[in-house]
Amino acid sequence: MVKYVKGSPQRLAIFKSCAERKTVGYHASLVLDVPTRWNSTYMMLDVAEKYESAFELMLDEDFSFGNYLCEDGGGRRGLGVPLDEDWKNVRNFAKFLQVFYEVTIEISGSSYSTSNNYFNILQNVYNTLIEYCENDDDLLSSMAIRIEIKYDKYWEDFEKINPLLFVAAVLDPRYKVIILEFWFKSNVVEEKAERIIIKLKNTLEQLYNHYAKNVTNVGGSGDKSNEEQSCGNSASVGAGTSTTSRSKKNVLTDFHSFRASKNLALCRIEIERYFAEDVESPCKTFDALMWWKINSSKFPVLADVARDVLAIPITTVASESAFSTGGRVIDHFRSSLAPKTVEALICTQNWLRSSCVSENDKLYLPTFEDEDSYKLDSEIMSNSITFNNEA
């Protein structure tokens, strides 16, 4: 149906007229799905469902529309005109796929989500799958069961998952270890959940010790240079001043060296202080990196750990998208562009697309979609012919 309407400007004009007469009150453009991108299927279904009455009116007025749906173009019978049951399935599928579409937008948009947000996304997907597996609709439940099998393939055995993913969640002040412990004990066998929590705490302590050692080495070298500078300056000041200054510096150096040698104890103190504080209240505008920047004086070593761990992106979509965009910028006719020019083109394109559009359309124009999926078939063909003629 969408392909037929978008097949020519005349059909699209008729469809818009039908939508106006039916007072649909919805202004987003029809979306034709891209076969290799499932999220475009959701966008197509979601928009088409809102234009149900316009499609029905166009079917009554355009007889070739019905004939088109009854034929598949190869002389065989097509799927025919959609029935009420078909529209019901469209609504159910759109509702089900919306959860995954929003997840895709969250982790693959212009503002890429960092590793601390993955845990909440993961458990939301899990809860959705469990809910739909028990759905009364056989079509939805069977699809959810098939997706759950793939989900379990990657996430069922938490003991085999890289613990750094859980460390990222622990370093989010909204979760810490108490939220993860609560979730694991609710969804995993208690004995197994305890092993996961113990492994998680040990991993965090090991990270702390590693970062504390680096901080100690940097601090030690700094103290040494300061001490040498102090000794050098003492010659011009006098013997009494030199002795007093060197004694003070030695006391401070010795004390901090002593503390640094007690890494395990210090680790427990700082980590336990972090765990002892209450979790932050959930907030859409919460910025974990900003929280750690503000509290870096209270948790100096943990703040260094958080800065590195939380900055890890959840997916590789950003780099894959850059390669895909680069393939469209550099082609057979533009293969001699300088690297800086290519970089400028790709960055500018990304920045322009990341700006918000109108409230009605912003959900249907993600930065990683193919622009051609929103054009008329005739427009795509016309642009291709024009470009080839110019070449």
Side-chain angles (χ1 to χ4, degrees):
M1 292 172 68
V2 175
K3 187 176 180 180
Y4 177 85
V5 171
K6 291 172 68 70
S8 72
Q10 292 80 9
R11 295 173 189 170
L12 187 59
I14 294 172
F15 178 79
K16 289 181 178 179
S17 174
C18 293
E20 290 176 0
R21 281 181 284 162
K22 283 291 185 179
T23 60
V24 173
Y26 189 72
H27 304 290
S29 301
L30 289 174
V31 178
L32 184 62
D33 72 325
V34 180
T36 57
R37 296 175 181 173
W38 72 265
N39 52 323
S40 65
T41 304
Y42 160 75
M43 295 155 60
M44 179 179 66
L45 295 177
D46 188 49
V47 176
E49 184 268 330
K50 294 177 174 61
Y51 287 111
E52 178 183 352
S53 58
F55 277 118
E56 292 176 347
L57 180 58
M58 186 171 178
L59 280 168
D60 293 336
E61 297 183 355
D62 187 350
F63 296 104
S64 59
F65 192 8
N67 294 333
Y68 177 85
L69 296 176
C70 293
E71 298 176 359
D72 67 350
R76 298 183 296 273
R77 182 166 179 79
L79 296 175
V81 177
L83 305 175
D84 291 340
E85 184 68 20
D86 295 318
W87 284 111
K88 178 183 176 183
N89 288 336
V90 166
R91 283 187 284 270
N92 289 337
F93 269 90
K95 183 179 179 182
F96 178 64
L97 294 176
Q98 182 180 4
V99 177
F100 304 98
Y101 175 77
E102 290 175 350
V103 166
T104 305
I105 292 296
E106 183 174 352
I107 67 176
S108 308
S110 56
S111 300
Y112 298 101
S113 185
T114 47
S115 55
N116 58 304
N117 293 321
Y118 104 93
F119 183 76
N120 186 49
I121 293 172
L122 188 68
Q123 61 94 15
N124 282 341
V125 170
Y126 176 79
N127 293 337
T128 301
L129 288 175
I130 295 300
E131 178 186 347
Y132 276 93
C133 284
E134 302 171 355
N135 196 284
D136 295 334
D137 191 315
D138 293 337
L139 189 62
L140 280 177
S141 61
S142 62
M143 183 171 65
I145 290 172
R146 292 197 300 272
I147 296 177
E148 187 188 15
I149 292 172
K150 293 187 176 182
Y151 177 93
D152 290 341
K153 178 181 178 181
Y154 294 95
W155 304 106
E156 184 176 26
D157 192 350
F158 288 102
E159 290 183 294
K160 294 182 180 179
I161 296 174
N162 188 339
L164 199 61
L165 288 172
F166 297 120
V167 169
V170 169
L171 291 174
D172 189 325
R174 296 170 296 177
Y175 296 99
K176 298 189 177 180
V177 76
I178 189 172
I179 301 294
L180 270 71
E181 189 173 4
F182 169 78
W183 190 86
F184 280 127
K185 289 184 176 180
S186 302
N187 297 277
V188 184
V189 179
E190 186 170 355
E191 182 180 348
K192 188 175 181 180
E194 290 177 357
R195 289 201 305 268
I196 296 172
I197 294 299
I198 291 173
K199 180 181 179 182
L200 174 58
K201 289 181 177 179
N202 290 338
T203 303
L204 185 58
E205 287 193 4
Q206 290 172 9
L207 272 173
Y208 182 97
N209 285 332
H210 175 75
Y211 277 76
K213 188 185 300 182
N214 292 338
V215 170
T216 302
N217 291 338
V218 173
S221 62
D223 289 341
K224 183 177 179 181
S225 62
N226 289 338
E227 184 177 352
E228 290 174 351
Q229 184 179 0
S230 174
C231 292
N233 293 338
S234 65
S236 61
V237 177
T241 307
S242 172
T243 304
T244 305
S245 175
R246 186 166 57 252
S247 298
K248 288 182 179 179
K249 179 56 68 175
N250 284 340
V251 170
L252 291 173
T253 303
D254 291 343
F255 174 71
H256 286 290
S257 299
F258 171 76
R259 286 191 64 185
S261 66
K262 305 294 183 181
N263 277 336
L264 184 59
L266 291 174
C267 168
R268 286 175 180 163
I269 291 172
E270 187 168 324
I271 292 176
E272 286 177 3
R273 278 195 291 111
Y274 172 66
F275 288 156
E277 293 186 1
D278 196 11
V279 293
E280 295 289 332
S281 301
C283 176
K284 290 184 178 180
T285 58
F286 181 81
D287 188 339
L289 291 175
M290 181 59 68
W291 188 93
W292 278 106
K293 182 178 180 181
I294 295 172
N295 291 272
S296 59
S297 58
K298 189 188 300 183
F299 309 107
V301 180
L302 273 180
D304 286 343
V305 178
R307 181 188 59 193
D308 291 343
V309 173
L310 298 185
I312 301 172
I314 293 180
T315 69
T316 59
V317 169
S319 57
E320 292 173 0
S321 177
F323 281 112
S324 178
T325 304
R328 291 193 291 269
V329 172
I330 303 177
D331 54 26
H332 295 294
F333 304 102
R334 291 183 293 183
S335 58
S336 59
L337 292 175
K340 288 187 177 181
T341 306
V342 176
E343 182 180 359
L345 288 171
I346 293 176
C347 289
T348 305
Q349 182 184 52
N350 180 268
W351 297 334
L352 290 173
R353 289 184 179 182
S354 66
S355 60
C356 290
V357 293
S358 65
E359 190 68 24
N360 291 330
D361 291 341
K362 68 179 181 180
L363 286 177
Y364 306 103
L365 291 174
T367 57
F368 53 85
E369 281 303 327
D370 189 347
E371 286 186 340
D372 287 349
S373 63
Y374 307 104
K375 294 180 180 178
L376 292 172
D377 294 347
S378 58
E379 290 178 331
I380 299 172
M381 186 62 68
S382 174
N383 291 339
S384 176
I385 294 172
T386 303
F387 181 76
N388 290 333
N389 290 337
E390 290 177 354

